[in-house]
Amino acid sequence: MKSQSAQVKLWTTDFILLMLCNFLLFLQLHMIVSPLPSYVQDRFHANAFEVSLFTCLFALSAIAARLYSAKALEKGLRNAMIYIGLTIALLATLGYYFAAGIAVLLLLRMVFGIGFGMSSTAFPTMASDIVPVKRMGEGMGYFGLSTSLAMSMGPIIGVTVLQGAGFVTLMLCTAGVIAVIYPLSYSLTRKKARRLNDEVVPTPPVGTAAISGTKVKTPFNRKLILPSILNCLLSITYGGLVGFIVLYGKEANLANPALFFLFNALAVLLVRPFAGRIYDSKGPKALLIPGAIFIAAGLIMLSYASSMSILFVAAFLYGIGYGSIQSSMQTWMIQIVSPSQRGMANGMFLNTLDLGIALGALLLGAIASITSYTDMYRYSVVFMILFLLIYLIQGKRNGGFAVPVHPLLTHTHIAAQNSDRHELTETATEKNTTTQQKDS
């Protein structure tokens, strides 16, 4: 007999379109991110710090845009965020053609970050609204796969186009990818968006303070702090990859270092379907701890890559860890907030991802300028050690690693931990006792 969660439909037309739009949005981003440092260094003779600014300033502008976008989504301005954001990103991309110096190119990257930040918040928020809550881990895992694949495939395509056809062709290709998103998202945006801050809350479970029919306010949810910090630490290591893998390849005399992302993508494809189901049954602990170990192992092996075969193994190890952790972080952040705060949760997830990439570009770029790209990847392992320490210490302090699912989502199928089962048993016993007293 099939389980109840398996009977809930996940692969709807809207979900598939959302995945495709999100994939294309991140694909065009990463088609530029990885080859851009090499182009800037060759064209403008930039140093390691100047190269890191292209990643850092883009990420910071995207973060600033999302702070506004999250509020706009709560007001039902979803379509505006998508189309205005896409238009800004498209115009900024076409503007690369006229950039004759580093300053202008940096300005265009910041403008692009604003457009990307606006549009990239809307798609995952829409996805978290349509994914069945009983399959949230699995559904957001598959949705996150579109981001991971784009982040893995984009650099390969971008570097190949840059080396084979030049920067202008690369610019036109990325602009074309943005243009394709417009018609694909049309059927999604035809449906009216809700004002999430005006939603009426259903009758909450016994023991909660919410009152039916009241409007939901959306203050910052402090439960997002821990997963946000962990997501940022994870993204710092990825910032070192997207920002410097091509330059590292030159230093280590590797033929085509961009192929790192191909094997990373294969590993993500392999692990992601299993990771979503593991999250749904066991929670994030079963994925975060081994995932961090795999990432650390991949980074260490990458720093010793003297041949392409070692590079491929390093990429595969990193991909297993990254594929296990990234979607788990997004699902975790969605489950601990109310439905009205999903825009905030997705914004925090994407902002900490971009912040981590920005910090990775700055910090690791500074390390590389003092030492070497080889040492830089070894030092980046420190961030995964911090990841593990913070997660384990906080789990011990909280008395467990169970996800504190929001009361409005208590009907999810996350397996109860020992302490949770004890609590549920006590509650059931109290209800039975009350019922018996009334009957007598």
Side-chain angles (χ1 to χ4, degrees), residues 104-394:
V104 177
L105 198 56
L106 279 172
L107 178 62
L108 288 170
R109 288 301 291 165
M110 293 176 66
V111 174
F112 176 86
I114 293 172
F116 179 82
M118 293 171 68
S119 55
S120 64
T121 310
F123 291 133
T125 302
M126 292 167 71
S128 61
D129 286 338
I130 67 172
V131 169
V133 73
K134 291 183 179 295
R135 301 180 70 178
M136 186 65 74
E138 184 183 2
M140 293 310 296
Y142 282 119
F143 184 82
L145 182 61
S146 65
T147 301
S148 298
L149 284 178
M151 293 171 74
S152 299
M153 295 173 61
I156 304 170
I157 299 172
V159 171
T160 302
V161 173
L162 178 64
Q163 293 176 345
F167 186 74
V168 174
T169 303
L170 176 61
M171 175 204 72
L172 293 174
C173 287
T174 54
V177 173
I178 297 175
V180 171
I181 302 174
Y182 282 92
L184 288 176
S185 60
Y186 176 70
S187 63
L188 298 170
T189 56
R190 287 181 64 188
K191 299 175 182 178
K192 187 177 179 181
R194 293 181 303 161
R195 289 175 56 94
L196 294 176
N197 58 349
D198 288 342
E199 72 177 7
V200 177
V201 180
T203 305
V206 176
T208 60
I211 301 175
S212 178
T214 60
K215 290 184 179 180
V216 177
K217 295 182 180 180
T218 56
F220 177 73
N221 193 321
R222 296 179 65 182
K223 293 178 181 179
L224 291 170
I225 294 176
L226 175 60
S228 295
I229 292 173
L230 297 178
N231 192 46
C232 184
L233 290 171
L234 169 67
S235 301
I236 287 175
T237 67
Y238 196 80
L241 294 172
V242 297
F244 304 108
I245 192 71
V246 176
L247 300 178
Y248 169 67
K250 293 179 181 179
E251 178 182 277
N253 295 318
L254 298 172
N256 192 353
L259 288 177
F260 177 96
F261 295 102
L262 173 62
F263 282 81
N264 181 74
L266 292 175
V268 170
L269 272 174
L270 177 67
V271 75
R272 188 55 64 82
F274 301 103
R277 295 189 182 97
I278 291 172
Y279 183 97
D280 285 339
S281 61
K282 299 180 183 296
K285 180 184 176 182
L287 295 166
L288 266 57
I289 295 175
I293 294 171
F294 271 104
I295 286 177
L299 290 170
I300 292 173
M301 182 165 285
L302 174 62
S303 71
Y304 288 99
S306 56
S307 65
M308 291 300 294
S309 59
I310 298 176
L311 181 83
F312 296 156
V313 175
F316 201 79
L317 290 173
Y318 187 93
I320 290 175
Y322 194 81
S324 300
I325 294 177
Q326 192 195 45
S327 65
S328 300
M329 303 305 302
Q330 188 171 20
T331 307
W332 179 359
M333 295 172 78
I334 289 170
Q335 286 188 319
I336 59 179
V337 301
S338 68
S340 65
Q341 291 182 317
R342 284 176 178 167
M344 176 195 297
N346 281 307
M348 283 292 292
F349 170 77
L350 294 168
N351 279 344
T352 49
L353 188 152
D354 282 339
L355 178 61
I357 291 176
L359 290 175
L362 278 179
L363 296 176
L364 297 178
I367 292 172
S369 64
I370 298 172
T371 58
S372 65
Y373 292 111
T374 298
D375 290 333
M376 179 196 74
Y377 286 122
R378 292 171 190 167
Y379 281 114
S380 66
V381 175
V382 172
F383 295 103
M384 293 316 298
I385 295 174
L386 285 174
F387 179 101
L388 280 173
L389 287 175
I390 292 172
Y391 181 63
L392 292 173
I393 291 171
Q394 194 64 28

Side-chain angles (χ1 to χ4, degrees), residues 37-46 96-97 99-101 167:
S38 179
Y39 167 75
V40 170
Q41 191 178 65
D42 294 340
R43 170 79 185 275
F44 302 109
H45 307 289
Y96 295 156
Y97 180 79
F167 186 74

